[in-house]
Amino acid sequence: MKLKKELIHRQIAGESFLIPLGKTVYDTNGLFVLTEVGAFLWERLPGAADEQELLQAVLEEYEVDEAQAAQDIAAFLDKLRGLEIL
Amino acid sequence: MQRAQTEPYLSRFLHSRGAKLGLPVSGSFELTARCNFRCPMCYVHMEQEQIDSRGRELTAQQWIALAQEAADQGMAFALLTGGEPFLRRDFFEIYHAIQRMGVMVSINSNCSMLSGEILSRLLESPPFRMNISLYGGSRETYRDMCGRDAFDQVVANIRALKEAGVDVSLNLSITPWNCQDLERISAIARELGTPVRASSYMYPPIRVDGQQCQGSRRLTAREAARYRVRWEQLTLEEPEFLLRAERMKALSAAEPRECAIDTDAGVSCRAGSTSFWLTWDGRMLPCGMMPFPRGVSPGDGLRRGLAGDPKPHPPDPAPQRLCILRKAGGLLGLRRHVCDGDGSLRRYPGVCLPDDRRDRGCGLGGI
């Protein structure tokens, strides 16, 4: 999955932040915060071919109902698309 | 731009968390003592002869290595300052390297050089915030105070930064040389649409010359108070100004106290706790005003410089601030619980944020 914006993922003081770089600074209106699962997914986005791969990764990591995880991942990706990050 | 409003929450939260964890959350990197202005109250600027007699500026590689070390230990914010940092030919090498570490970089500048190629390069990757010292509201004041006829250029450069979308903040030092300009300065700031952080208290430039503490020309306490009031009158809405005036009046009426300084109590700000300052020649100070170093040099690295005596820090506002952060920006609608540590699957909490917060943009939160 291809990221359209230049964002650096960093852990600072135990929190996950996406920090904009380059011209992304102009249109991101500050920073983004990720929850732990958000960070988990973010790290896997560039290498993932599709949502199914992300779902598989979540199912391997978490004790979660498949339908629930799929719904959450879809919402997450929608949010990224809405922000024109993905 | 919401960042001007929300950044302090982020900063407070990170500094609070950093104080608990012992992290160097913010660092100031004084890249040079050189400047193209000659402001008499400056606490950093030195002529080349003075610089040569005291030490050498760190190289770009030394700055980058120190910043990397600080970032590895939790530095979130870096301020590149001087002197005038854009005088360094390798400024962008340092700036871009620190940005790529995922550090939020702000820059202090007099803005006189921010045109042409320097401006173009800056706009390619803008800073988190550009702090510009505005020294006056006229050509005459710039000539008298800064020794340069730079007023028009500075205002034009600020305008260019603003038009490009850079987050600009003005710093105003009210001094005997520019105190007559307050009306003009406030009008310029209003027209440019930039916030101003003004101070009428000037710390004596004892880092440059310890003898100046007694001899430097500074506003008296009464003058500093008068110009502070005048500035607030010019920049605050009337109800807010009147409220402040009432508070100040009550304070003035209180019983005067002896000036008592508890030298064992340390300082109550973040200096030396979650923030540090590196001078142009690589000494670590709690802040840029304080002349007593903790003895670190570039070869020593940061850890030694930051390993001073622990001191009490203000009460922790983290839970509240974190809450504000999350409400302001929302968070991902996904969370996992902390691993049990036995290698088994982690318990999955589902969509942790309730429906009433979904509408406010849960998922990925902007701050």
Side-chain angles (χ1 to χ4, degrees), chain A residues 8 10-15 17-23 25-26 28-42 58-65 68-69 71-73 75-76 79-80 83 85, chain B residues 1-3 10 13-14 17 21 23 71 74-76 99-104 123-128 164-166 322 326 331-336 345-348 350-351 358 361-367:
Chain A
I8 296 178
R10 253 194 94 191
Q11 289 275 341
I12 307 172
E15 297 283 336
F17 292 97
L18 295 179
I19 297 167
L21 189 65
K23 294 201 166 177
V25 171
Y26 291 117
T28 49
N29 191 24
L31 315 180
F32 299 108
V33 185
L34 296 169
T35 58
E36 208 172 331
V37 174
F40 176 88
L41 290 170
W42 180 265
V58 169
L59 294 175
E60 285 170 11
E61 182 77 9
Y62 298 100
E63 186 179 4
V64 58
D65 172 73
Q68 180 67 70
Q71 185 185 328
D72 289 349
I73 291 167
F76 176 56
K79 188 73 183 174
L80 291 179
L83 290 162
I85 291 172
Chain B
M1 201 82 182
Q2 293 174 11
R3 194 167 51 193
L10 172 68
F13 165 68
L14 286 176
R17 180 73 68 86
L21 300 173
L23 307 177
M75 180 174 72
Q99 279 190 319
R100 283 193 295 270
M101 294 170 197
V103 172
M104 291 164 267
L123 296 183
E124 283 295 312
S125 186
F128 188 66
V166 176
L322 185 58
R326 288 178 169 165
L331 279 181
L332 273 176
L334 295 163
R335 280 192 200 159
R336 71 179 173 195
L345 286 176
R346 300 167 195 272
R347 192 165 73 80
Y348 184 83
V351 179
R358 272 182 182 282
C362 298
L364 186 71
I367 296 178

Side-chain angles (χ1 to χ4, degrees), chain B residues 56-358:
Chain B
R56 292 179 63 180
E57 281 181 8
L58 300 192
T59 65
Q61 287 313 307
Q62 285 175 309
W63 283 120
I64 292 167
L66 285 166
Q68 185 65 64
E69 196 178 342
D72 291 345
Q73 292 177 40
M75 180 174 72
F77 305 101
L79 173 68
L80 303 187
T81 185
E84 174 50 46
F86 288 99
L87 280 173
R88 281 190 73 122
R89 291 178 191 278
D90 53 9
F91 171 83
F92 283 102
E93 183 185 347
I94 301 166
Y95 172 62
H96 288 145
I98 301 177
Q99 279 190 319
R100 283 193 295 270
M101 294 170 197
V103 172
M104 291 164 267
V105 182
S106 297
I107 304 171
N108 278 358
S109 169
N110 63 33
C111 207
S112 63
M113 298 175 70
L114 285 174
S115 59
E117 192 190 338
I118 292 179
L119 178 65
S120 301
R121 293 188 71 184
L122 188 71
L123 296 183
E124 283 295 312
S125 186
F128 188 66
R129 177 162 296 149
M130 193 76 214
N131 302 311
I132 294 166
S133 298
L134 186 63
Y135 290 107
S138 71
R139 295 170 188 163
E140 293 73 26
T141 301
Y142 264 76
R143 270 200 298 265
D144 292 347
M145 182 168 161
C146 311
R148 275 184 68 118
D149 193 1
F151 173 70
D152 293 329
Q153 184 71 62
V154 166
V155 173
N157 293 349
I158 296 172
R159 201 181 305 281
L161 286 168
K162 288 284 296 179
E163 284 171 1
V166 176
D167 191 354
V168 175
S169 177
L170 301 180
N171 289 333
L172 169 62
S173 301
I174 304 173
T175 70
W177 297 274
N178 65 3
C179 55
Q180 75 285 355
D181 275 10
L182 298 188
E183 284 79 3
R184 275 180 289 202
I185 293 169
S186 68
I188 291 166
R190 224 179 356 259
E191 192 256 318
L192 291 169
T194 50
V196 184
R197 192 166 51 184
S199 175
S200 60
Y201 174 75
M202 288 299 103
Y203 199 86
I206 52 178
R207 268 186 57 200
V208 176
D209 180 356
Q211 302 306 311
Q212 285 196 23
C213 189
Q214 298 300 321
S216 61
R217 191 176 155 207
R218 301 164 67 207
L219 294 174
T220 64
R222 187 174 292 277
E223 287 169 336
R226 188 200 316 150
Y227 290 119
R228 177 82 215 172
V229 169
R230 180 63 187 139
W231 178 256
E232 292 188 355
Q233 203 173 20
L234 287 165
T235 54
L236 297 178
E237 294 295 328
E238 191 174 340
E240 192 183 351
F241 174 76
L242 292 175
L243 189 65
R244 263 187 71 74
E246 283 301 322
R247 284 189 191 143
M248 292 299 115
K249 198 173 157 188
L251 270 177
S252 306
E255 193 70 21
R257 290 179 301 172
E258 287 292 316
C259 179
I261 300 171
D262 180 359
T263 52
D264 293 330
V267 290
S268 58
C269 64
R270 294 166 180 161
S273 171
T274 54
S275 71
F276 64 91
W277 188 288
L278 286 167
T279 64
W280 56 275
D281 53 349
R283 287 175 302 129
M284 179 175 281
L285 305 177
C287 86
M289 308 292 172
M290 299 171 78
F292 34 86
R294 293 174 121 171
V296 76
S297 68
D300 293 329
L302 287 176
R303 190 170 292 280
R304 191 180 134 197
L306 291 167
D309 295 332
K311 62 173 192 173
H313 54 79
D316 181 10
Q320 282 183 319
R321 292 303 177 204
L322 185 58
C323 182
I324 289 167
L325 270 181
R326 288 178 169 165
K327 278 182 182 168
L331 279 181
L332 273 176
L334 295 163
R335 280 192 200 159
R336 71 179 173 195
H337 282 191
V338 177
C339 179
D340 301 339
D342 60 359
S344 61
L345 286 176
R346 300 167 195 272
R347 192 165 73 80
Y348 184 83
V351 179
C352 64
L353 298 172
D355 287 344
D356 64 334
R357 290 188 58 189
R358 272 182 182 282

